[in-house]
Amino acid sequence: VEFQGEEGTGLGPTLEFYALVAAEFQRTSLGIWLCDDDFPDDESRQVDLGGGLKPPGYYVQRSCGLFPAPFPQDSDELERITKLFLFLGIFLAKCIQDNRLVDLPISQPFFKLLCMGDIKSNMSKLLYQTRVESDCHFSEIQSEASTEEGQDTYSVGSFDEDSKSEFILDPPKPKPPAWYHGILTWEDFELVNPHRAQFLKELKALSVKRRQILGNKSLSEDEKNTRLQDLMLKNPMGSGPPLSVEDLG
């Protein structure tokens, strides 16, 4: 790597290039990482990742590491974000190829998504599935070729009958789940977004209490309504009065 306007080349500028790119990817203004704006992390402080001392909030600093921010599928920012993550993938691949270590604190849940789960148990499974699928595909091609050679001409009516019977014996299969289905767990959600995870846990406990009250046959309707009104959630700001279910909208 050689910087424009500088004479130095070799290992030093190359390592500086990797460090600067890794630092730029951690900028909050990019908007690609989950960031706790309302809940400042304890590690949010002035830091220097290679481009000089920056104020708190300039870089995304989270104790669990970096995790992609959620965006609506119809957002106008998706094209820009996709290009950034594409460049990030190329950058990390080049780091692995050159055997370079970069200061890019990727969270464990994001790493699980990149590796499609636990990389130790999935690599051999993926290789085996690829080999089996290729063998099955080759055998299907051979079977179709031999069947076509031995077939006589059929009428349209007989073809329709065969199609109907085949449809009954082999109904259409359900749509497969998304590629990320089942990779992340509730523990990963608590690690990436502890505030929302805590809120959902309290909301779930409140829902259980509500069902218990409604299913209690020993209570009258007035007693049920009174107990339902007493169900409260802790204030997410940490202070202030508790919130009722009606306050959540």
Short mmCIF file of all heavy atoms in Angstrom, two decimals, residues 129-169:
data_model
loop_
_atom_site.label_atom_id
_atom_site.label_comp_id
_atom_site.label_asym_id
_atom_site.label_seq_id
_atom_site.Cartn_x
_atom_site.Cartn_y
_atom_site.Cartn_z
N GLN A 129 -23.35 -31.69 2.68
CA GLN A 129 -24.60 -31.41 1.98
C GLN A 129 -24.34 -31.05 0.52
O GLN A 129 -25.08 -31.46 -0.37
CB GLN A 129 -25.35 -30.28 2.68
CG GLN A 129 -25.95 -30.68 4.01
CD GLN A 129 -26.66 -29.52 4.68
OE1 GLN A 129 -26.57 -28.38 4.24
NE2 GLN A 129 -27.37 -29.81 5.77
N THR A 130 -23.29 -30.27 0.27
CA THR A 130 -22.97 -29.90 -1.10
C THR A 130 -22.64 -31.12 -1.94
O THR A 130 -23.07 -31.26 -3.09
CB THR A 130 -21.79 -28.92 -1.12
OG1 THR A 130 -22.12 -27.79 -0.31
CG2 THR A 130 -21.49 -28.45 -2.53
N ARG A 131 -21.88 -32.05 -1.36
CA ARG A 131 -21.51 -33.25 -2.09
C ARG A 131 -22.73 -34.13 -2.35
O ARG A 131 -22.91 -34.66 -3.45
CB ARG A 131 -20.46 -34.03 -1.29
CG ARG A 131 -19.91 -35.24 -2.00
CD ARG A 131 -18.84 -35.90 -1.15
NE ARG A 131 -17.75 -34.97 -0.87
CZ ARG A 131 -16.75 -35.26 -0.04
NH1 ARG A 131 -16.71 -36.43 0.57
NH2 ARG A 131 -15.80 -34.38 0.16
N VAL A 132 -23.60 -34.28 -1.35
CA VAL A 132 -24.79 -35.11 -1.52
C VAL A 132 -25.73 -34.50 -2.55
O VAL A 132 -26.29 -35.20 -3.40
CB VAL A 132 -25.50 -35.29 -0.16
CG1 VAL A 132 -26.86 -35.94 -0.36
CG2 VAL A 132 -24.65 -36.11 0.78
N GLU A 133 -25.92 -33.16 -2.50
CA GLU A 133 -26.81 -32.51 -3.45
C GLU A 133 -26.30 -32.64 -4.88
O GLU A 133 -27.07 -32.84 -5.82
CB GLU A 133 -26.97 -31.04 -3.08
CG GLU A 133 -27.79 -30.82 -1.82
CD GLU A 133 -27.82 -29.36 -1.42
OE1 GLU A 133 -27.18 -28.55 -2.13
OE2 GLU A 133 -28.49 -29.03 -0.42
N SER A 134 -24.98 -32.53 -5.07
CA SER A 134 -24.44 -32.68 -6.42
C SER A 134 -24.61 -34.10 -6.93
O SER A 134 -24.94 -34.32 -8.10
CB SER A 134 -22.95 -32.30 -6.42
OG SER A 134 -22.22 -33.15 -5.56
N ASP A 135 -24.43 -35.10 -6.05
CA ASP A 135 -24.64 -36.49 -6.46
C ASP A 135 -26.09 -36.75 -6.81
O ASP A 135 -26.40 -37.43 -7.81
CB ASP A 135 -24.19 -37.44 -5.34
CG ASP A 135 -22.68 -37.38 -5.11
OD1 ASP A 135 -21.97 -36.91 -6.03
OD2 ASP A 135 -22.23 -37.79 -4.02
N CYS A 136 -27.01 -36.21 -6.00
CA CYS A 136 -28.44 -36.40 -6.28
C CYS A 136 -28.83 -35.72 -7.59
O CYS A 136 -29.61 -36.26 -8.37
CB CYS A 136 -29.27 -35.85 -5.13
SG CYS A 136 -29.11 -36.78 -3.59
N HIS A 137 -28.28 -34.53 -7.83
CA HIS A 137 -28.60 -33.81 -9.06
C HIS A 137 -28.10 -34.59 -10.27
O HIS A 137 -28.79 -34.69 -11.29
CB HIS A 137 -27.97 -32.42 -9.01
CG HIS A 137 -28.27 -31.59 -10.23
ND1 HIS A 137 -29.54 -31.16 -10.53
CD2 HIS A 137 -27.46 -31.11 -11.21
CE1 HIS A 137 -29.52 -30.46 -11.65
NE2 HIS A 137 -28.25 -30.41 -12.08
N PHE A 138 -26.92 -35.18 -10.17
CA PHE A 138 -26.37 -35.95 -11.29
C PHE A 138 -27.21 -37.19 -11.55
O PHE A 138 -27.49 -37.55 -12.70
CB PHE A 138 -24.92 -36.33 -10.98
CG PHE A 138 -24.26 -37.13 -12.06
CD1 PHE A 138 -23.90 -36.53 -13.27
CD2 PHE A 138 -24.02 -38.49 -11.89
CE1 PHE A 138 -23.30 -37.27 -14.27
CE2 PHE A 138 -23.42 -39.22 -12.89
CZ PHE A 138 -23.06 -38.62 -14.09
N SER A 139 -27.65 -37.87 -10.48
CA SER A 139 -28.47 -39.07 -10.66
C SER A 139 -29.84 -38.72 -11.24
O SER A 139 -30.40 -39.47 -12.04
CB SER A 139 -28.64 -39.79 -9.32
OG SER A 139 -29.28 -38.96 -8.38
N GLU A 140 -30.39 -37.56 -10.86
CA GLU A 140 -31.68 -37.14 -11.42
C GLU A 140 -31.55 -36.86 -12.92
O GLU A 140 -32.44 -37.20 -13.70
CB GLU A 140 -32.17 -35.89 -10.69
CG GLU A 140 -32.66 -36.17 -9.28
CD GLU A 140 -33.09 -34.90 -8.58
OE1 GLU A 140 -32.98 -33.83 -9.22
OE2 GLU A 140 -33.52 -34.97 -7.42
N ILE A 141 -30.44 -36.25 -13.33
CA ILE A 141 -30.24 -35.98 -14.75
C ILE A 141 -30.15 -37.28 -15.53
O ILE A 141 -30.74 -37.44 -16.60
CB ILE A 141 -28.97 -35.13 -14.94
CG1 ILE A 141 -29.17 -33.73 -14.34
CG2 ILE A 141 -28.62 -35.02 -16.42
CD1 ILE A 141 -27.94 -32.87 -14.41
N GLN A 142 -29.42 -38.26 -14.98
CA GLN A 142 -29.31 -39.55 -15.66
C GLN A 142 -30.66 -40.24 -15.75
O GLN A 142 -31.01 -40.83 -16.77
CB GLN A 142 -28.31 -40.44 -14.91
CG GLN A 142 -26.85 -40.05 -15.12
CD GLN A 142 -25.91 -41.02 -14.45
OE1 GLN A 142 -26.26 -41.62 -13.44
NE2 GLN A 142 -24.73 -41.19 -15.02
N SER A 143 -31.43 -40.16 -14.66
CA SER A 143 -32.74 -40.81 -14.65
C SER A 143 -33.68 -40.17 -15.66
O SER A 143 -34.41 -40.85 -16.38
CB SER A 143 -33.34 -40.74 -13.25
OG SER A 143 -34.63 -41.28 -13.22
N GLU A 144 -33.66 -38.83 -15.74
CA GLU A 144 -34.52 -38.15 -16.70
C GLU A 144 -34.11 -38.46 -18.13
O GLU A 144 -34.96 -38.64 -19.01
CB GLU A 144 -34.45 -36.64 -16.45
CG GLU A 144 -35.11 -36.21 -15.15
CD GLU A 144 -34.96 -34.72 -14.92
OE1 GLU A 144 -34.32 -34.06 -15.77
OE2 GLU A 144 -35.47 -34.22 -13.90
N ALA A 145 -32.81 -38.55 -18.36
CA ALA A 145 -32.34 -38.85 -19.72
C ALA A 145 -32.77 -40.25 -20.15
O ALA A 145 -33.23 -40.47 -21.27
CB ALA A 145 -30.82 -38.71 -19.79
N SER A 146 -32.64 -41.23 -19.25
CA SER A 146 -33.03 -42.59 -19.60
C SER A 146 -34.53 -42.71 -19.77
O SER A 146 -35.02 -43.46 -20.61
CB SER A 146 -32.55 -43.56 -18.51
OG SER A 146 -33.12 -43.23 -17.26
N THR A 147 -35.28 -41.96 -18.99
CA THR A 147 -36.74 -42.00 -19.11
C THR A 147 -37.20 -41.41 -20.43
O THR A 147 -38.10 -41.93 -21.09
CB THR A 147 -37.38 -41.24 -17.95
OG1 THR A 147 -36.92 -41.79 -16.71
CG2 THR A 147 -38.90 -41.33 -18.01
N GLU A 148 -36.57 -40.30 -20.84
CA GLU A 148 -36.95 -39.67 -22.10
C GLU A 148 -36.63 -40.56 -23.29
O GLU A 148 -37.35 -40.59 -24.28
CB GLU A 148 -36.23 -38.32 -22.23
CG GLU A 148 -36.75 -37.28 -21.25
CD GLU A 148 -35.98 -35.99 -21.36
OE1 GLU A 148 -35.01 -35.97 -22.17
OE2 GLU A 148 -36.32 -35.03 -20.67
N GLU A 149 -35.53 -41.32 -23.21
CA GLU A 149 -35.16 -42.19 -24.32
C GLU A 149 -36.15 -43.34 -24.47
O GLU A 149 -36.44 -43.80 -25.57
CB GLU A 149 -33.75 -42.73 -24.10
CG GLU A 149 -32.67 -41.66 -24.22
CD GLU A 149 -31.30 -42.22 -23.92
OE1 GLU A 149 -31.23 -43.44 -23.59
OE2 GLU A 149 -30.31 -41.48 -24.02
N GLY A 150 -36.67 -43.85 -23.36
CA GLY A 150 -37.55 -45.01 -23.42
C GLY A 150 -39.01 -44.67 -23.53
O GLY A 150 -39.85 -45.57 -23.59
N GLN A 151 -39.36 -43.41 -23.53
CA GLN A 151 -40.76 -43.03 -23.56
C GLN A 151 -41.29 -43.01 -24.98
O GLN A 151 -40.58 -42.67 -25.92
CB GLN A 151 -40.94 -41.64 -22.94
CG GLN A 151 -41.05 -41.66 -21.43
CD GLN A 151 -41.30 -40.27 -20.89
OE1 GLN A 151 -41.10 -39.30 -21.60
NE2 GLN A 151 -41.75 -40.20 -19.66
N ASP A 152 -42.56 -43.41 -25.11
CA ASP A 152 -43.28 -43.25 -26.37
C ASP A 152 -44.09 -41.98 -26.29
O ASP A 152 -44.17 -41.33 -25.26
CB ASP A 152 -44.19 -44.46 -26.61
CG ASP A 152 -43.38 -45.74 -26.79
OD1 ASP A 152 -42.25 -45.64 -27.35
OD2 ASP A 152 -43.87 -46.80 -26.36
N THR A 153 -44.72 -41.62 -27.39
CA THR A 153 -45.54 -40.41 -27.41
C THR A 153 -46.82 -40.67 -26.65
O THR A 153 -47.43 -41.74 -26.75
CB THR A 153 -45.86 -40.02 -28.85
OG1 THR A 153 -46.52 -41.12 -29.48
CG2 THR A 153 -44.59 -39.66 -29.61
N TYR A 154 -47.24 -39.68 -25.86
CA TYR A 154 -48.46 -39.77 -25.08
C TYR A 154 -49.44 -38.73 -25.58
O TYR A 154 -49.05 -37.68 -26.10
CB TYR A 154 -48.19 -39.53 -23.58
CG TYR A 154 -47.38 -40.64 -22.93
CD1 TYR A 154 -46.00 -40.53 -22.81
CD2 TYR A 154 -48.02 -41.77 -22.44
CE1 TYR A 154 -45.27 -41.54 -22.22
CE2 TYR A 154 -47.29 -42.79 -21.83
CZ TYR A 154 -45.92 -42.66 -21.72
OH TYR A 154 -45.19 -43.65 -21.13
N SER A 155 -50.69 -39.01 -25.36
CA SER A 155 -51.71 -38.03 -25.70
C SER A 155 -51.80 -36.99 -24.60
O SER A 155 -51.31 -37.19 -23.50
CB SER A 155 -53.07 -38.73 -25.87
OG SER A 155 -53.46 -39.32 -24.65
N VAL A 156 -52.49 -35.89 -24.90
CA VAL A 156 -52.62 -34.83 -23.92
C VAL A 156 -53.41 -35.29 -22.72
O VAL A 156 -53.12 -34.96 -21.58
CB VAL A 156 -53.28 -33.59 -24.58
CG1 VAL A 156 -53.50 -32.50 -23.55
CG2 VAL A 156 -52.42 -33.09 -25.73
N GLY A 157 -54.41 -36.11 -22.96
CA GLY A 157 -55.24 -36.58 -21.85
C GLY A 157 -54.46 -37.44 -20.88
O GLY A 157 -54.57 -37.30 -19.67
N SER A 158 -53.65 -38.36 -21.42
CA SER A 158 -52.87 -39.22 -20.53
C SER A 158 -51.83 -38.43 -19.76
O SER A 158 -51.54 -38.72 -18.61
CB SER A 158 -52.19 -40.33 -21.35
OG SER A 158 -51.28 -39.75 -22.28
N PHE A 159 -51.26 -37.39 -20.40
CA PHE A 159 -50.28 -36.55 -19.71
C PHE A 159 -50.93 -35.81 -18.54
O PHE A 159 -50.35 -35.70 -17.47
CB PHE A 159 -49.67 -35.56 -20.70
CG PHE A 159 -48.68 -34.62 -20.06
CD1 PHE A 159 -47.41 -35.04 -19.74
CD2 PHE A 159 -49.05 -33.32 -19.76
CE1 PHE A 159 -46.51 -34.19 -19.15
CE2 PHE A 159 -48.15 -32.46 -19.17
CZ PHE A 159 -46.87 -32.90 -18.87
N ASP A 160 -52.15 -35.34 -18.74
CA ASP A 160 -52.84 -34.63 -17.67
C ASP A 160 -53.13 -35.56 -16.51
O ASP A 160 -53.02 -35.18 -15.34
CB ASP A 160 -54.13 -34.01 -18.20
CG ASP A 160 -53.85 -32.86 -19.16
OD1 ASP A 160 -52.73 -32.31 -19.11
OD2 ASP A 160 -54.75 -32.53 -19.94
N GLU A 161 -53.53 -36.80 -16.81
CA GLU A 161 -53.82 -37.75 -15.75
C GLU A 161 -52.56 -38.07 -14.95
O GLU A 161 -52.59 -38.15 -13.72
CB GLU A 161 -54.41 -39.03 -16.35
CG GLU A 161 -55.79 -38.86 -16.96
CD GLU A 161 -56.82 -38.45 -15.92
OE1 GLU A 161 -56.66 -38.86 -14.75
OE2 GLU A 161 -57.77 -37.73 -16.27
N ASP A 162 -51.45 -38.25 -15.66
CA ASP A 162 -50.19 -38.52 -14.96
C ASP A 162 -49.78 -37.34 -14.10
O ASP A 162 -49.26 -37.51 -12.99
CB ASP A 162 -49.08 -38.84 -15.97
CG ASP A 162 -49.34 -40.15 -16.71
OD1 ASP A 162 -50.13 -40.96 -16.17
OD2 ASP A 162 -48.77 -40.34 -17.80
N SER A 163 -50.01 -36.13 -14.61
CA SER A 163 -49.64 -34.95 -13.84
C SER A 163 -50.47 -34.84 -12.57
O SER A 163 -49.96 -34.48 -11.51
CB SER A 163 -49.81 -33.69 -14.70
OG SER A 163 -48.99 -33.75 -15.84
N LYS A 164 -51.76 -35.16 -12.68
CA LYS A 164 -52.62 -35.09 -11.51
C LYS A 164 -52.20 -36.10 -10.46
O LYS A 164 -52.12 -35.79 -9.27
CB LYS A 164 -54.07 -35.33 -11.92
CG LYS A 164 -54.67 -34.21 -12.76
CD LYS A 164 -56.10 -34.54 -13.14
CE LYS A 164 -56.70 -33.44 -14.02
NZ LYS A 164 -58.08 -33.77 -14.43
N SER A 165 -51.92 -37.33 -10.89
CA SER A 165 -51.52 -38.35 -9.92
C SER A 165 -50.18 -38.01 -9.29
O SER A 165 -49.96 -38.23 -8.10
CB SER A 165 -51.44 -39.71 -10.61
OG SER A 165 -50.48 -39.68 -11.66
N GLU A 166 -49.26 -37.45 -10.10
CA GLU A 166 -47.96 -37.06 -9.55
C GLU A 166 -48.11 -35.92 -8.56
O GLU A 166 -47.42 -35.87 -7.53
CB GLU A 166 -47.03 -36.64 -10.69
CG GLU A 166 -45.62 -36.28 -10.22
CD GLU A 166 -44.73 -35.88 -11.38
OE1 GLU A 166 -45.18 -35.95 -12.53
OE2 GLU A 166 -43.58 -35.49 -11.10
N PHE A 167 -49.03 -35.00 -8.83
CA PHE A 167 -49.26 -33.88 -7.92
C PHE A 167 -49.82 -34.38 -6.59
O PHE A 167 -49.48 -33.87 -5.53
CB PHE A 167 -50.22 -32.89 -8.56
CG PHE A 167 -50.49 -31.67 -7.71
CD1 PHE A 167 -49.58 -30.62 -7.69
CD2 PHE A 167 -51.62 -31.58 -6.93
CE1 PHE A 167 -49.81 -29.50 -6.91
CE2 PHE A 167 -51.86 -30.47 -6.15
CZ PHE A 167 -50.95 -29.43 -6.14
N ILE A 168 -50.69 -35.41 -6.65
CA ILE A 168 -51.27 -35.94 -5.43
C ILE A 168 -50.22 -36.69 -4.62
O ILE A 168 -50.13 -36.57 -3.39
CB ILE A 168 -52.46 -36.87 -5.77
CG1 ILE A 168 -53.58 -36.04 -6.42
CG2 ILE A 168 -52.98 -37.57 -4.52
CD1 ILE A 168 -54.73 -36.88 -6.92
N LEU A 169 -49.40 -37.50 -5.31
CA LEU A 169 -48.38 -38.27 -4.61
C LEU A 169 -47.24 -37.40 -4.11
O LEU A 169 -46.62 -37.70 -3.09
CB LEU A 169 -47.83 -39.36 -5.54
CG LEU A 169 -48.83 -40.44 -5.97
CD1 LEU A 169 -48.18 -41.38 -6.97
CD2 LEU A 169 -49.35 -41.21 -4.76
#
